[in-house]
Amino acid sequence: MTEMSTIAMVSIITAGLTMAIGSVGPALGEARALAQALSAIAQQPDESNTITRTLFVGLAMVESTAIYCFVVAMILIFANPFWTAVAGG
Amino acid sequence: MELTPDSIVYARWGFFELNATIVFGWVVSAILVVGSWLITRNLSRGAEIPRWQNLLEVLVDQIRTQLAEITRGSGTRYLPFVGTLFLFIGMSNLLLIVPFYQAPTASLSTTTALALCVFVAVPFYGIVQRGLWGYLKSYAQPSIFMLPFNIIGDFSRTVALAVRLFGNIMSGTLIAAILLALAPLFFPVLMNALGLLTGMIQAYIFAVLAAVYIASATQAQPSAEGPQGTTHD
């Protein structure tokens, strides 16, 4: 078990867990927002423009948390600072 | 496997690197500028207008309508800024169908620059509309205890703007590249189509969020973040 393999193992496991756990919450929240928006559009078709725009803005806000998780996972796999430090890169 | 187009370096002078982000950013800007110049050289007002003029009219009209809805007033004042954001991001994401093209928005440098533009523009428009003291007072709404959180929110939403666009576009190109290595020919096409959709939605969201931030900074009655502002005219 060298330093390199430990760092690699921990990074990969953490990246997988980050994506797995970090996408559950946003997915549930976005699905709920979408369901609400659909029922709102069904009740008031005239307001569908405003509802859709607000939905997209809200989805973007929620989406950003999932994207933070994704960026952390990508950094861990492709641009790991500890890896380069140990590998002497 | 490159994470960003920053790592593709074409030339180097001392400490300055000419990388793919800069090159394709300039390419997108040049396409927009030259295309607009060519189209607007000979505008006509007849019953039959050129088709390219029609395209630009539809674009500008749509952006103006959306802006007027968001800012609850004349969106014309913010049309140049927000429209440019939308067109640049949308164009740079649309060109992903061109082979060997690297989207400049897949680099954190470009998205940070765009987010910084919004970060500077929001106080600028707020101070122009409401005066320096009026704008600064909006940070103490609804009570003085919210002051640090409002300031933190300003910075965090800028970071979110930059990272959201970067993460979406970068993930799209990365997934397409990985799938190309695993299962060529069919799945990458689907993923590219999905990436195009995501790219356009992200351009729209970036522009709308910029407009929403500007609207909430210029309102007489500042509201919480979001398009649900209460205006008392």
Side-chain angles (χ1 to χ4, degrees):
Chain A
M1 225 25 197
T2 59
E3 260 183 329
M4 291 276 280
S5 56
T6 314
I7 291 174
M9 196 176 74
V10 171
S11 302
I12 292 168
I13 292 173
T14 311
L17 277 178
T18 305
M19 277 319 297
I21 301 172
S23 55
V24 168
L28 288 173
E30 285 191 25
R32 205 163 164 277
L34 181 62
Q36 291 283 345
L38 283 177
S39 60
I41 290 175
Q43 283 172 359
Q44 294 172 306
D46 299 344
E47 294 294 319
S48 61
N49 271 339
T50 313
I51 294 170
T52 312
R53 195 182 60 236
T54 317
L55 169 75
F56 270 128
V57 173
L59 282 191
M61 297 268 185
V62 180
E63 186 83 37
S64 59
T65 54
I67 287 165
Y68 293 155
C69 292
F70 173 77
V71 167
V72 167
M74 285 295 111
I75 286 172
L76 280 176
I77 294 177
F78 291 107
N80 196 322
F82 302 103
W83 176 272
T84 46
V86 173
Chain B
M1 180 72 71
E2 295 103 359
L3 208 56
T4 68
D6 283 5
S7 49
I8 307 171
V9 179
Y10 293 127
R12 203 186 291 267
W13 295 279
F15 66 93
F16 177 74
E17 290 180 347
L18 185 70
N19 54 33
T21 309
I22 299 173
V23 171
F24 285 109
W26 278 100
V27 165
V28 171
S29 309
I31 289 175
L32 284 176
V33 169
V34 173
S36 309
W37 178 74
L38 282 176
I39 295 167
T40 52
R41 244 183 345 168
N42 41 9
L43 296 175
S44 64
R45 298 183 56 182
E48 291 227 352
I49 55 173
R51 62 178 62 155
W52 290 105
Q53 181 189 337
N54 199 358
L55 170 79
L56 279 200
E57 279 182 10
V58 167
L59 271 176
V60 173
D61 201 49
Q62 275 296 321
I63 297 173
R64 183 187 291 152
T65 316
Q66 295 273 346
L67 262 179
E69 277 180 14
I70 294 170
T71 54
R72 287 196 177 77
S74 73
T76 321
R77 175 177 303 166
Y78 317 117
L79 182 71
F81 178 65
V82 180
T84 307
L85 280 179
F86 174 74
L87 286 180
F88 180 78
I89 300 171
M91 194 61 159
S92 74
N93 297 344
L94 258 187
L95 288 177
L96 276 171
I97 48 176
V98 178
F100 307 113
Y101 169 84
Q102 304 279 342
T105 39
S107 144
L108 195 55
S109 325
T110 314
T111 55
T112 309
L114 293 169
L116 280 178
C117 291
V118 177
F119 182 71
V120 173
V122 168
F124 173 77
Y125 284 125
I127 290 169
V128 165
Q129 282 285 85
R130 300 161 56 185
L132 182 60
W133 183 238
Y135 176 72
L136 288 181
K137 262 202 302 193
S138 75
Y139 279 100
Q141 298 282 346
S143 72
I144 194 71
F145 296 109
M146 286 301 286
L147 180 74
F149 300 105
N150 281 332
I151 294 172
I152 292 170
D154 260 19
F155 285 98
S156 76
R157 77 188 185 189
T158 308
V159 173
L161 268 183
V163 175
R164 177 183 307 124
L165 182 58
F166 160 72
N168 272 289
I169 311 304
M170 186 266 288
S171 66
T173 52
L174 202 66
I175 288 168
I178 291 172
L179 278 177
L180 203 60
L182 291 178
L185 220 60
F186 184 61
F187 276 110
V189 176
L190 289 181
M191 275 304 173
N192 257 334
L194 189 69
L196 282 179
L197 176 72
T198 319
M200 287 320 284
I201 290 178
Q202 287 308 315
Y204 174 77
I205 282 173
F206 199 101
V208 165
L209 281 180
V212 165
Y213 296 153
I214 290 172
S216 72
T218 51
Q219 268 170 13
Q221 282 284 330
S223 65
E225 268 194 9
Q228 257 48 2
T230 50
T231 44
H232 296 284
D233 296 323

